[in-house]
């Protein structure tokens, strides 16, 4: 799957991105693609739908749960900058060389 190049082009610097995917494999692909495309402040959360019995005196989940989970992935487009925090953030997400790599 990955991140389509048009996504980055459509977002302004600092723009928010969100995706809904159903599997762990798609999470992995998208996270790798987001890292290559210089997205930061990335978060992943799972969503799950669970039904409850509509009994006022006995509010609880239904006895049988047939459910599907999904995952939300959030991130923000960043631009490479040369100030100290920008370089640190780019290194943090793997989008810039580390000091060790620069010294070799």
């Amino acid at each position: 799957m990955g991140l389509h190049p048009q996504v980055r082009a459509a977002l302004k610097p600092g723009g928010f991105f969100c995706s809904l995917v159903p599997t762990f494999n798609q999470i992995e692909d998208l996270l790798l693609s987001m890292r290559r495309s210089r997205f930061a402040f990335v978060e992943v959360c799972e969503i799950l739908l669970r039904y409850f019995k509509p009994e006022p005196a006995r509010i609880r989940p239904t006895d049988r749960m047939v459910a599907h989970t999904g995952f939300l992935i959030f991130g923000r487009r960043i631009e490479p900058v040369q100030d100290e925090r920008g370089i640190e953030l780019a290194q943090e997400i793997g989008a810039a060389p580390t000091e060790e790599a620069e010294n070799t």
Side-chain angles (χ1 to χ4, degrees), residues 34-75:
M34 288 175 76
R35 180 169 286 177
R36 283 191 301 268
S37 298
R38 295 185 317 273
F39 278 75
F41 310 106
V42 176
E43 294 181 340
V44 178
C45 63
E46 181 178 21
I47 55 175
L48 181 69
L49 178 64
R50 180 169 65 170
Y51 288 93
F52 278 70
K53 292 183 178 184
E55 297 296 327
R58 290 185 63 194
I59 298 288
R60 63 188 182 96
T62 56
D63 295 328
R64 183 171 176 205
M65 185 170 143
V66 178
H68 180 73
T69 188
F71 302 91
L72 289 171
I73 296 96
F74 301 94

